[in-house]
Amino acid sequence: MGLHEDIAEVLFDEATIRERVRQLAHEMERDYAGRDPVLVGMLRGSVYFLVDLTRALGIPHEVDFMAVAAYGTRHAATGAVRLLKDLDEEVTDRHVVLVEDVVDTGLTASYLVRLLRARRPASLAICTLLDKRARRIAPNLPLAYVGFEAPDRFVVGYGLDYRQRYRNLPYIGVLREEVFREGPP
Ligand code: 5GP
């Protein structure tokens, strides 16, 4: 079975994503000109987005990565997050942009914001590919850049996985019920 057959509906196609990423990069060029920002990609979901964003970004910047694991499941989020991989570089006095795949309840982002702010960056902003605003629990996140507002549905593709698969789909789509029912992510 091909990966495409498992997709019930495409929400954002390849051309739409490409254009939106270009727009976000332009906004960042304007906001961060002369500030040498550090883009912090969250492994592994934001990698495809981050790579396209950084290639479209025509100002000097750096790239670093972090990885976290959430305790509990999507439907029983506790907000407890475990740090699996920290940054390689210091971010004190740097302009930091946290690049996320999805901000859902916002609990993961909230943890990361607290962790990064403790290091006294010059500024901190979040850039997320998808914003599931309807499910937000964490208040006051510094969401400066949002690719798309997404509905409360589990999506895959363009870096987003279901059981580590589907990341390589060039679009963002909703999995067919039969596939999803095999078990929770
Ligand atoms: P939050 O802490 O905001 O509730 O959860 C954010 C994380 O949940 C994202 O970084 C992502 O890993 C995961 N997530 C939330 N919604 C989706 C989705 O629709 N598809 C996938 N693949 N992951 C999701």
Side-chain angles (χ1 to χ4, degrees):
M1 265 289 261
L3 294 174
H4 297 286
E5 281 83 0
D6 290 349
I7 302 301
E9 190 188 333
V10 173
L11 294 184
F12 306 106
D13 66 25
E14 194 174 356
T16 305
I17 294 170
R18 196 184 313 121
E19 181 51 30
R20 187 69 189 119
V21 170
R22 211 183 346 237
Q23 288 169 357
L24 291 174
H26 284 322
E27 286 177 37
M28 280 189 191
E29 283 172 2
R30 190 192 57 209
D31 298 346
Y32 288 94
R35 301 169 91 190
D36 194 13
V38 186
L39 271 55
V40 174
M42 294 309 303
L43 297 172
R44 288 170 260 180
S46 80
V47 168
Y48 292 62
F49 174 44
L50 176 79
V51 168
D52 286 345
L53 190 65
T54 186
R55 285 192 297 193
L57 195 56
I59 56 167
H61 63 279
E62 293 173 27
V63 170
D64 206 337
F65 292 97
M66 284 179 110
V68 294
Y71 291 110
T73 67
R74 186 169 111 87
H75 296 288
T78 59
V81 177
R82 188 160 53 101
L83 189 63
L84 297 181
K85 186 217 170 294
D86 204 339
L87 296 172
D88 289 337
E89 311 291 337
E90 303 277 337
V91 291
T92 306
D93 297 329
R94 300 296 306 272
H95 294 281
V96 176
V97 181
L98 186 60
V99 180
E100 289 259 28
D101 52 359
V102 187
V103 176
D104 186 19
T105 64
L107 294 172
T108 309
S110 171
Y111 168 86
L112 292 165
V113 163
R114 242 178 297 136
L115 190 143
L116 290 169
R117 280 206 177 125
R119 299 175 186 180
R120 305 269 166 240
S123 69
L124 177 62
I126 299 175
C127 172
T128 186
L129 175 63
L130 301 180
D131 180 7
K132 291 188 175 174
R133 210 161 293 176
R135 286 177 44 86
R136 193 66 32 80
I137 293 172
N140 306 324
L141 292 176
L143 269 190
Y145 308 94
V146 171
F148 305 99
E149 257 193 71
D152 181 15
R153 300 173 79 181
F154 189 81
V155 296
V156 296
Y158 196 60
L160 295 161
D161 77 306
Y162 172 65
R163 297 179 160 185
Q164 299 308 326
R165 289 175 64 199
Y166 306 101
R167 292 191 199 273
N168 57 322
L169 289 175
Y171 51 78
I172 296 169
V174 180
L175 272 185
R176 292 164 65 97
E177 283 280 321
E178 307 90 271
V179 182
F180 197 56
R181 246 183 290 139
E182 284 167 17

mmCIF file of all heavy atoms in Angstrom, residues 16-64:
data_model
loop_
_atom_site.group_PDB
_atom_site.id
_atom_site.type_symbol
_atom_site.label_atom_id
_atom_site.label_comp_id
_atom_site.label_asym_id
_atom_site.label_seq_id
_atom_site.Cartn_x
_atom_site.Cartn_y
_atom_site.Cartn_z
ATOM 1 N N THR A 16 0.514 25.248 -1.735
ATOM 2 C CA THR A 16 0.015 26.151 -0.682
ATOM 3 C C THR A 16 1.029 26.264 0.449
ATOM 4 O O THR A 16 1.296 27.354 0.947
ATOM 5 C CB THR A 16 -1.331 25.617 -0.130
ATOM 6 O OG1 THR A 16 -2.230 25.460 -1.221
ATOM 7 C CG2 THR A 16 -1.926 26.549 0.905
ATOM 8 N N ILE A 17 1.611 25.136 0.832
ATOM 9 C CA ILE A 17 2.613 25.140 1.903
ATOM 10 C C ILE A 17 3.841 25.928 1.456
ATOM 11 O O ILE A 17 4.355 26.771 2.189
ATOM 12 C CB ILE A 17 3.019 23.698 2.297
ATOM 13 C CG1 ILE A 17 1.835 22.957 2.927
ATOM 14 C CG2 ILE A 17 4.209 23.715 3.264
ATOM 15 C CD1 ILE A 17 2.074 21.468 3.135
ATOM 16 N N ARG A 18 4.281 25.661 0.225
ATOM 17 C CA ARG A 18 5.477 26.331 -0.282
ATOM 18 C C ARG A 18 5.301 27.848 -0.262
ATOM 19 O O ARG A 18 6.174 28.592 0.183
ATOM 20 C CB ARG A 18 5.784 25.852 -1.703
ATOM 21 C CG ARG A 18 7.195 26.201 -2.160
ATOM 22 C CD ARG A 18 7.476 25.806 -3.600
ATOM 23 N NE ARG A 18 7.040 24.449 -3.898
ATOM 24 C CZ ARG A 18 6.145 24.130 -4.833
ATOM 25 N NH1 ARG A 18 5.583 25.060 -5.565
ATOM 26 N NH2 ARG A 18 5.811 22.874 -5.051
ATOM 27 N N GLU A 19 4.152 28.311 -0.723
ATOM 28 C CA GLU A 19 3.878 29.745 -0.772
ATOM 29 C C GLU A 19 3.815 30.343 0.643
ATOM 30 O O GLU A 19 4.355 31.413 0.907
ATOM 31 C CB GLU A 19 2.562 29.992 -1.525
ATOM 32 C CG GLU A 19 2.168 31.448 -1.659
ATOM 33 C CD GLU A 19 3.283 32.347 -2.208
ATOM 34 O OE1 GLU A 19 4.129 31.866 -2.992
ATOM 35 O OE2 GLU A 19 3.325 33.539 -1.823
ATOM 36 N N ARG A 20 3.173 29.633 1.556
ATOM 37 C CA ARG A 20 3.045 30.144 2.922
ATOM 38 C C ARG A 20 4.407 30.214 3.624
ATOM 39 O O ARG A 20 4.681 31.164 4.350
ATOM 40 C CB ARG A 20 2.074 29.249 3.724
ATOM 41 C CG ARG A 20 1.749 29.789 5.079
ATOM 42 C CD ARG A 20 0.891 31.052 5.019
ATOM 43 N NE ARG A 20 0.773 31.667 6.334
ATOM 44 C CZ ARG A 20 1.199 32.894 6.619
ATOM 45 N NH1 ARG A 20 1.745 33.655 5.689
ATOM 46 N NH2 ARG A 20 1.070 33.364 7.843
ATOM 47 N N VAL A 21 5.240 29.206 3.387
ATOM 48 C CA VAL A 21 6.579 29.200 3.989
ATOM 49 C C VAL A 21 7.377 30.396 3.468
ATOM 50 O O VAL A 21 8.078 31.071 4.220
ATOM 51 C CB VAL A 21 7.316 27.870 3.710
ATOM 52 C CG1 VAL A 21 8.785 27.947 4.104
ATOM 53 C CG2 VAL A 21 6.633 26.730 4.461
ATOM 54 N N ARG A 22 7.230 30.691 2.176
ATOM 55 C CA ARG A 22 7.917 31.839 1.597
ATOM 56 C C ARG A 22 7.453 33.146 2.254
ATOM 57 O O ARG A 22 8.250 34.016 2.561
ATOM 58 C CB ARG A 22 7.660 31.877 0.092
ATOM 59 C CG ARG A 22 8.835 32.473 -0.655
ATOM 60 C CD ARG A 22 8.619 32.605 -2.143
ATOM 61 N NE ARG A 22 7.500 31.879 -2.678
ATOM 62 C CZ ARG A 22 7.595 30.966 -3.644
ATOM 63 N NH1 ARG A 22 8.758 30.641 -4.138
ATOM 64 N NH2 ARG A 22 6.522 30.382 -4.118
ATOM 65 N N GLN A 23 6.147 33.251 2.478
ATOM 66 C CA GLN A 23 5.618 34.456 3.141
ATOM 67 C C GLN A 23 6.163 34.598 4.557
ATOM 68 O O GLN A 23 6.544 35.685 4.986
ATOM 69 C CB GLN A 23 4.084 34.393 3.216
ATOM 70 C CG GLN A 23 3.387 34.593 1.884
ATOM 71 C CD GLN A 23 1.900 34.255 1.964
ATOM 72 O OE1 GLN A 23 1.406 33.823 3.009
ATOM 73 N NE2 GLN A 23 1.192 34.439 0.856
ATOM 74 N N LEU A 24 6.189 33.497 5.288
ATOM 75 C CA LEU A 24 6.713 33.538 6.662
ATOM 76 C C LEU A 24 8.175 33.971 6.668
ATOM 77 O O LEU A 24 8.599 34.764 7.508
ATOM 78 C CB LEU A 24 6.565 32.172 7.347
ATOM 79 C CG LEU A 24 5.153 31.708 7.689
ATOM 80 C CD1 LEU A 24 5.191 30.286 8.227
ATOM 81 C CD2 LEU A 24 4.479 32.628 8.695
ATOM 82 N N ALA A 25 8.941 33.443 5.708
ATOM 83 C CA ALA A 25 10.355 33.797 5.624
ATOM 84 C C ALA A 25 10.506 35.296 5.353
ATOM 85 O O ALA A 25 11.374 35.954 5.929
ATOM 86 C CB ALA A 25 11.035 32.977 4.532
ATOM 87 N N HIS A 26 9.649 35.850 4.504
ATOM 88 C CA HIS A 26 9.703 37.291 4.215
ATOM 89 C C HIS A 26 9.401 38.106 5.467
ATOM 90 O O HIS A 26 10.056 39.104 5.752
ATOM 91 C CB HIS A 26 8.736 37.657 3.093
ATOM 92 C CG HIS A 26 9.236 37.264 1.737
ATOM 93 N ND1 HIS A 26 10.558 37.366 1.389
ATOM 94 C CD2 HIS A 26 8.599 36.758 0.665
ATOM 95 C CE1 HIS A 26 10.705 36.927 0.143
ATOM 96 N NE2 HIS A 26 9.536 36.541 -0.312
ATOM 97 N N GLU A 27 8.392 37.671 6.217
ATOM 98 C CA GLU A 27 8.051 38.370 7.474
ATOM 99 C C GLU A 27 9.241 38.345 8.422
ATOM 100 O O GLU A 27 9.577 39.341 9.049
ATOM 101 C CB GLU A 27 6.855 37.707 8.161
ATOM 102 C CG GLU A 27 5.521 37.978 7.485
ATOM 103 C CD GLU A 27 4.385 37.234 8.186
ATOM 104 O OE1 GLU A 27 4.402 37.111 9.428
ATOM 105 O OE2 GLU A 27 3.487 36.744 7.469
ATOM 106 N N MET A 28 9.890 37.206 8.508
ATOM 107 C CA MET A 28 11.045 37.081 9.407
ATOM 108 C C MET A 28 12.225 37.923 8.932
ATOM 109 O O MET A 28 12.933 38.498 9.753
ATOM 110 C CB MET A 28 11.484 35.621 9.498
ATOM 111 C CG MET A 28 10.623 34.827 10.428
ATOM 112 S SD MET A 28 11.384 33.220 10.666
ATOM 113 C CE MET A 28 10.055 32.422 11.491
ATOM 114 N N GLU A 29 12.414 37.971 7.628
ATOM 115 C CA GLU A 29 13.504 38.804 7.098
ATOM 116 C C GLU A 29 13.310 40.254 7.531
ATOM 117 O O GLU A 29 14.262 40.939 7.902
ATOM 118 C CB GLU A 29 13.520 38.738 5.567
ATOM 119 C CG GLU A 29 14.115 37.462 5.049
ATOM 120 C CD GLU A 29 13.949 37.331 3.543
ATOM 121 O OE1 GLU A 29 13.402 38.238 2.885
ATOM 122 O OE2 GLU A 29 14.349 36.265 3.023
ATOM 123 N N ARG A 30 12.086 40.698 7.476
ATOM 124 C CA ARG A 30 11.756 42.071 7.854
ATOM 125 C C ARG A 30 11.985 42.257 9.360
ATOM 126 O O ARG A 30 12.603 43.219 9.804
ATOM 127 C CB ARG A 30 10.285 42.314 7.505
ATOM 128 C CG ARG A 30 9.815 43.743 7.591
ATOM 129 C CD ARG A 30 8.296 43.775 7.521
ATOM 130 N NE ARG A 30 7.722 42.944 8.586
ATOM 131 C CZ ARG A 30 6.548 42.311 8.518
ATOM 132 N NH1 ARG A 30 5.810 42.380 7.446
ATOM 133 N NH2 ARG A 30 6.102 41.591 9.546
ATOM 134 N N ASP A 31 11.509 41.312 10.159
ATOM 135 C CA ASP A 31 11.561 41.449 11.620
ATOM 136 C C ASP A 31 12.958 41.225 12.207
ATOM 137 O O ASP A 31 13.273 41.745 13.272
ATOM 138 C CB ASP A 31 10.604 40.453 12.283
ATOM 139 C CG ASP A 31 9.152 40.701 11.898
ATOM 140 O OD1 ASP A 31 8.862 41.786 11.346
ATOM 141 O OD2 ASP A 31 8.314 39.812 12.134
ATOM 142 N N TYR A 32 13.759 40.414 11.526
ATOM 143 C CA TYR A 32 15.047 40.009 12.117
ATOM 144 C C TYR A 32 16.275 40.493 11.352
ATOM 145 O O TYR A 32 17.388 40.036 11.619
ATOM 146 C CB TYR A 32 15.093 38.494 12.271
ATOM 147 C CG TYR A 32 14.196 37.997 13.381
ATOM 148 C CD1 TYR A 32 12.899 37.589 13.116
ATOM 149 C CD2 TYR A 32 14.643 37.983 14.704
ATOM 150 C CE1 TYR A 32 12.058 37.157 14.133
ATOM 151 C CE2 TYR A 32 13.815 37.553 15.727
ATOM 152 C CZ TYR A 32 12.532 37.144 15.427
ATOM 153 O OH TYR A 32 11.713 36.721 16.441
ATOM 154 N N ALA A 33 16.083 41.421 10.427
ATOM 155 C CA ALA A 33 17.227 41.940 9.672
ATOM 156 C C ALA A 33 18.264 42.517 10.633
ATOM 157 O O ALA A 33 17.925 43.289 11.529
ATOM 158 C CB ALA A 33 16.763 43.010 8.690
ATOM 159 N N GLY A 34 19.499 42.098 10.490
ATOM 160 C CA GLY A 34 20.587 42.608 11.316
ATOM 161 C C GLY A 34 20.624 42.056 12.732
ATOM 162 O O GLY A 34 21.393 42.534 13.565
ATOM 163 N N ARG A 35 19.776 41.037 13.016
ATOM 164 C CA ARG A 35 19.704 40.520 14.395
ATOM 165 C C ARG A 35 20.257 39.092 14.523
ATOM 166 O O ARG A 35 20.265 38.545 15.614
ATOM 167 C CB ARG A 35 18.260 40.577 14.898
ATOM 168 C CG ARG A 35 17.693 42.002 14.880
ATOM 169 C CD ARG A 35 16.210 42.006 15.117
ATOM 170 N NE ARG A 35 15.873 42.144 16.525
ATOM 171 C CZ ARG A 35 14.643 41.984 17.032
ATOM 172 N NH1 ARG A 35 13.636 41.671 16.236
ATOM 173 N NH2 ARG A 35 14.421 42.134 18.309
ATOM 174 N N ASP A 36 20.679 38.516 13.427
ATOM 175 C CA ASP A 36 21.290 37.184 13.437
ATOM 176 C C ASP A 36 20.545 36.179 14.332
ATOM 177 O O ASP A 36 21.103 35.672 15.317
ATOM 178 C CB ASP A 36 22.757 37.330 13.902
ATOM 179 C CG ASP A 36 23.577 36.088 13.620
ATOM 180 O OD1 ASP A 36 23.111 35.217 12.858
ATOM 181 O OD2 ASP A 36 24.667 35.963 14.204
ATOM 182 N N PRO A 37 19.279 35.898 14.024
ATOM 183 C CA PRO A 37 18.485 35.040 14.906
ATOM 184 C C PRO A 37 18.942 33.575 14.907
ATOM 185 O O PRO A 37 19.628 33.133 13.990
ATOM 186 C CB PRO A 37 17.075 35.137 14.317
ATOM 187 C CG PRO A 37 17.292 35.438 12.878
ATOM 188 C CD PRO A 37 18.530 36.299 12.821
ATOM 189 N N VAL A 38 18.548 32.863 15.952
ATOM 190 C CA VAL A 38 18.763 31.417 16.024
ATOM 191 C C VAL A 38 17.397 30.747 15.864
ATOM 192 O O VAL A 38 16.492 30.989 16.661
ATOM 193 C CB VAL A 38 19.331 30.982 17.391
ATOM 194 C CG1 VAL A 38 19.678 29.498 17.366
ATOM 195 C CG2 VAL A 38 20.530 31.816 17.778
ATOM 196 N N LEU A 39 17.262 29.936 14.845
ATOM 197 C CA LEU A 39 16.025 29.171 14.664
ATOM 198 C C LEU A 39 16.194 27.835 15.378
ATOM 199 O O LEU A 39 17.109 27.061 15.047
ATOM 200 C CB LEU A 39 15.747 28.948 13.176
ATOM 201 C CG LEU A 39 14.929 30.032 12.464
ATOM 202 C CD1 LEU A 39 15.549 31.396 12.616
ATOM 203 C CD2 LEU A 39 14.762 29.688 10.993
ATOM 204 N N VAL A 40 15.339 27.584 16.340
ATOM 205 C CA VAL A 40 15.426 26.349 17.120
ATOM 206 C C VAL A 40 14.337 25.388 16.652
ATOM 207 O O VAL A 40 13.150 25.612 16.889
ATOM 208 C CB VAL A 40 15.268 26.637 18.624
ATOM 209 C CG1 VAL A 40 15.201 25.336 19.411
ATOM 210 C CG2 VAL A 40 16.418 27.506 19.130
ATOM 211 N N GLY A 41 14.761 24.358 15.948
ATOM 212 C CA GLY A 41 13.807 23.370 15.437
ATOM 213 C C GLY A 41 13.531 22.294 16.466
ATOM 214 O O GLY A 41 14.450 21.816 17.136
ATOM 215 N N MET A 42 12.259 21.939 16.588
ATOM 216 C CA MET A 42 11.876 20.880 17.519
ATOM 217 C C MET A 42 11.850 19.556 16.769
ATOM 218 O O MET A 42 11.089 19.379 15.830
ATOM 219 C CB MET A 42 10.484 21.168 18.106
ATOM 220 C CG MET A 42 10.454 22.404 18.972
ATOM 221 S SD MET A 42 11.740 22.397 20.232
ATOM 222 C CE MET A 42 11.351 20.870 21.061
ATOM 223 N N LEU A 43 12.732 18.659 17.184
ATOM 224 C CA LEU A 43 12.783 17.339 16.550
ATOM 225 C C LEU A 43 11.565 16.516 16.978
ATOM 226 O O LEU A 43 11.137 16.646 18.110
ATOM 227 C CB LEU A 43 14.061 16.611 16.984
ATOM 228 C CG LEU A 43 15.367 17.303 16.544
ATOM 229 C CD1 LEU A 43 16.574 16.617 17.171
ATOM 230 C CD2 LEU A 43 15.488 17.324 15.030
ATOM 231 N N ARG A 44 10.965 15.652 16.128
ATOM 232 C CA ARG A 44 11.395 15.532 14.767
ATOM 233 C C ARG A 44 10.411 16.213 13.810
ATOM 234 O O ARG A 44 10.694 16.416 12.641
ATOM 235 C CB ARG A 44 11.460 14.028 14.413
ATOM 236 C CG ARG A 44 12.638 13.330 15.083
ATOM 237 C CD ARG A 44 12.551 11.826 14.923
ATOM 238 N NE ARG A 44 12.020 11.236 16.131
ATOM 239 C CZ ARG A 44 11.827 9.929 16.283
ATOM 240 N NH1 ARG A 44 12.056 9.094 15.277
ATOM 241 N NH2 ARG A 44 11.399 9.451 17.419
ATOM 242 N N GLY A 45 9.236 16.555 14.336
ATOM 243 C CA GLY A 45 8.132 17.018 13.480
ATOM 244 C C GLY A 45 8.370 18.288 12.692
ATOM 245 O O GLY A 45 7.817 18.461 11.610
ATOM 246 N N SER A 46 9.209 19.195 13.214
ATOM 247 C CA SER A 46 9.361 20.489 12.542
ATOM 248 C C SER A 46 10.482 20.505 11.512
ATOM 249 O O SER A 46 10.732 21.529 10.885
ATOM 250 C CB SER A 46 9.594 21.603 13.575
ATOM 251 O OG SER A 46 10.951 21.612 13.985
ATOM 252 N N VAL A 47 11.158 19.383 11.335
ATOM 253 C CA VAL A 47 12.370 19.384 10.505
ATOM 254 C C VAL A 47 12.108 19.780 9.044
ATOM 255 O O VAL A 47 12.826 20.600 8.474
ATOM 256 C CB VAL A 47 13.073 18.010 10.576
ATOM 257 C CG1 VAL A 47 14.146 17.882 9.508
ATOM 258 C CG2 VAL A 47 13.715 17.841 11.948
ATOM 259 N N TYR A 48 11.081 19.237 8.440
ATOM 260 C CA TYR A 48 10.810 19.542 7.028
ATOM 261 C C TYR A 48 10.470 21.020 6.867
ATOM 262 O O TYR A 48 10.937 21.699 5.954
ATOM 263 C CB TYR A 48 9.660 18.675 6.490
ATOM 264 C CG TYR A 48 9.996 17.202 6.387
ATOM 265 C CD1 TYR A 48 10.327 16.456 7.513
ATOM 266 C CD2 TYR A 48 9.971 16.556 5.157
ATOM 267 C CE1 TYR A 48 10.626 15.106 7.409
ATOM 268 C CE2 TYR A 48 10.265 15.203 5.051
ATOM 269 C CZ TYR A 48 10.598 14.489 6.185
ATOM 270 O OH TYR A 48 10.890 13.162 6.077
ATOM 271 N N PHE A 49 9.649 21.506 7.772
ATOM 272 C CA PHE A 49 9.252 22.910 7.783
ATOM 273 C C PHE A 49 10.471 23.800 8.012
ATOM 274 O O PHE A 49 10.701 24.770 7.278
ATOM 275 C CB PHE A 49 8.207 23.089 8.891
ATOM 276 C CG PHE A 49 7.776 24.497 9.163
ATOM 277 C CD1 PHE A 49 7.490 25.387 8.124
ATOM 278 C CD2 PHE A 49 7.621 24.946 10.475
ATOM 279 C CE1 PHE A 49 7.072 26.687 8.393
ATOM 280 C CE2 PHE A 49 7.197 26.233 10.747
ATOM 281 C CZ PHE A 49 6.935 27.113 9.702
ATOM 282 N N LEU A 50 11.270 23.481 8.988
ATOM 283 C CA LEU A 50 12.448 24.289 9.326
ATOM 284 C C LEU A 50 13.415 24.388 8.151
ATOM 285 O O LEU A 50 13.923 25.458 7.838
ATOM 286 C CB LEU A 50 13.172 23.714 10.543
ATOM 287 C CG LEU A 50 14.463 24.451 10.891
ATOM 288 C CD1 LEU A 50 14.176 25.737 11.633
ATOM 289 C CD2 LEU A 50 15.404 23.594 11.689
ATOM 290 N N VAL A 51 13.650 23.268 7.496
ATOM 291 C CA VAL A 51 14.597 23.255 6.380
ATOM 292 C C VAL A 51 14.103 24.147 5.235
ATOM 293 O O VAL A 51 14.857 24.930 4.669
ATOM 294 C CB VAL A 51 14.859 21.809 5.896
ATOM 295 C CG1 VAL A 51 15.592 21.801 4.560
ATOM 296 C CG2 VAL A 51 15.661 21.041 6.931
ATOM 297 N N ASP A 52 12.825 24.060 4.916
ATOM 298 C CA ASP A 52 12.287 24.921 3.853
ATOM 299 C C ASP A 52 12.321 26.385 4.270
ATOM 300 O O ASP A 52 12.614 27.271 3.471
ATOM 301 C CB ASP A 52 10.856 24.500 3.499
ATOM 302 C CG ASP A 52 10.831 23.216 2.692
ATOM 303 O OD1 ASP A 52 11.901 22.817 2.174
ATOM 304 O OD2 ASP A 52 9.748 22.609 2.573
ATOM 305 N N LEU A 53 12.018 26.641 5.529
ATOM 306 C CA LEU A 53 12.014 28.014 6.051
ATOM 307 C C LEU A 53 13.415 28.618 6.000
ATOM 308 O O LEU A 53 13.609 29.743 5.538
ATOM 309 C CB LEU A 53 11.492 27.982 7.497
ATOM 310 C CG LEU A 53 11.175 29.302 8.182
ATOM 311 C CD1 LEU A 53 10.016 30.015 7.490
ATOM 312 C CD2 LEU A 53 10.822 29.049 9.655
ATOM 313 N N THR A 54 14.384 27.871 6.452
ATOM 314 C CA THR A 54 15.751 28.382 6.512
ATOM 315 C C THR A 54 16.310 28.617 5.097
ATOM 316 O O THR A 54 17.039 29.569 4.848
ATOM 317 C CB THR A 54 16.656 27.473 7.370
ATOM 318 O OG1 THR A 54 17.928 28.080 7.508
ATOM 319 C CG2 THR A 54 16.864 26.113 6.841
ATOM 320 N N ARG A 55 15.901 27.786 4.137
ATOM 321 C CA ARG A 55 16.368 27.990 2.762
ATOM 322 C C ARG A 55 15.719 29.213 2.111
ATOM 323 O O ARG A 55 16.282 29.812 1.210
ATOM 324 C CB ARG A 55 16.093 26.744 1.915
ATOM 325 C CG ARG A 55 17.068 25.637 2.253
ATOM 326 C CD ARG A 55 17.021 24.522 1.256
ATOM 327 N NE ARG A 55 15.707 23.870 1.258
ATOM 328 C CZ ARG A 55 15.474 22.706 0.670
ATOM 329 N NH1 ARG A 55 16.435 22.087 0.032
ATOM 330 N NH2 ARG A 55 14.272 22.171 0.725
ATOM 331 N N ALA A 56 14.517 29.554 2.594
ATOM 332 C CA ALA A 56 13.819 30.725 2.034
ATOM 333 C C ALA A 56 14.223 32.019 2.729
ATOM 334 O O ALA A 56 13.862 33.107 2.293
ATOM 335 C CB ALA A 56 12.307 30.523 2.162
ATOM 336 N N LEU A 57 14.955 31.887 3.835
ATOM 337 C CA LEU A 57 15.280 33.043 4.668
ATOM 338 C C LEU A 57 16.596 33.683 4.195
ATOM 339 O O LEU A 57 17.673 33.117 4.403
ATOM 340 C CB LEU A 57 15.385 32.570 6.123
ATOM 341 C CG LEU A 57 15.367 33.600 7.241
ATOM 342 C CD1 LEU A 57 14.119 34.460 7.174
ATOM 343 C CD2 LEU A 57 15.437 32.885 8.599
ATOM 344 N N GLY A 58 16.468 34.853 3.600
ATOM 345 C CA GLY A 58 17.631 35.497 2.989
ATOM 346 C C GLY A 58 18.425 36.411 3.896
ATOM 347 O O GLY A 58 19.024 37.364 3.428
ATOM 348 N N ILE A 59 18.421 36.167 5.179
ATOM 349 C CA ILE A 59 19.261 36.933 6.107
ATOM 350 C C ILE A 59 20.112 35.948 6.901
ATOM 351 O O ILE A 59 19.742 34.780 7.050
ATOM 352 C CB ILE A 59 18.420 37.790 7.097
ATOM 353 C CG1 ILE A 59 17.428 36.918 7.865
ATOM 354 C CG2 ILE A 59 17.713 38.933 6.374
ATOM 355 C CD1 ILE A 59 16.779 37.588 9.052
ATOM 356 N N PRO A 60 21.266 36.418 7.421
ATOM 357 C CA PRO A 60 22.097 35.513 8.212
ATOM 358 C C PRO A 60 21.333 35.005 9.443
ATOM 359 O O PRO A 60 20.644 35.786 10.104
ATOM 360 C CB PRO A 60 23.276 36.394 8.647
ATOM 361 C CG PRO A 60 23.289 37.544 7.702
ATOM 362 C CD PRO A 60 21.863 37.766 7.314
ATOM 363 N N HIS A 61 21.427 33.735 9.710
ATOM 364 C CA HIS A 61 20.785 33.149 10.892
ATOM 365 C C HIS A 61 21.451 31.825 11.200
ATOM 366 O O HIS A 61 22.201 31.303 10.369
ATOM 367 C CB HIS A 61 19.289 32.956 10.671
ATOM 368 C CG HIS A 61 18.964 31.998 9.564
ATOM 369 N ND1 HIS A 61 18.986 32.358 8.232
ATOM 370 C CD2 HIS A 61 18.639 30.677 9.587
ATOM 371 C CE1 HIS A 61 18.674 31.306 7.485
ATOM 372 N NE2 HIS A 61 18.468 30.273 8.283
ATOM 373 N N GLU A 62 21.182 31.314 12.378
ATOM 374 C CA GLU A 62 21.726 30.015 12.754
ATOM 375 C C GLU A 62 20.585 29.039 13.004
ATOM 376 O O GLU A 62 19.444 29.450 13.206
ATOM 377 C CB GLU A 62 22.570 30.151 14.026
ATOM 378 C CG GLU A 62 23.830 30.968 13.791
ATOM 379 C CD GLU A 62 24.589 31.267 15.079
ATOM 380 O OE1 GLU A 62 24.483 30.482 16.043
ATOM 381 O OE2 GLU A 62 25.275 32.299 15.119
ATOM 382 N N VAL A 63 20.924 27.758 13.019
ATOM 383 C CA VAL A 63 19.938 26.708 13.242
ATOM 384 C C VAL A 63 20.429 25.811 14.366
ATOM 385 O O VAL A 63 21.608 25.472 14.423
ATOM 386 C CB VAL A 63 19.735 25.880 11.950
ATOM 387 C CG1 VAL A 63 18.912 24.647 12.205
ATOM 388 C CG2 VAL A 63 19.086 26.725 10.861
ATOM 389 N N ASP A 64 19.541 25.486 15.266
ATOM 390 C CA ASP A 64 19.882 24.563 16.350
ATOM 391 C C ASP A 64 18.653 23.680 16.590
ATOM 392 O O ASP A 64 17.583 23.949 16.049
ATOM 393 C CB ASP A 64 20.253 25.360 17.617
ATOM 394 C CG ASP A 64 21.198 24.583 18.543
ATOM 395 O OD1 ASP A 64 21.226 23.343 18.474
ATOM 396 O OD2 ASP A 64 21.876 25.239 19.357
#
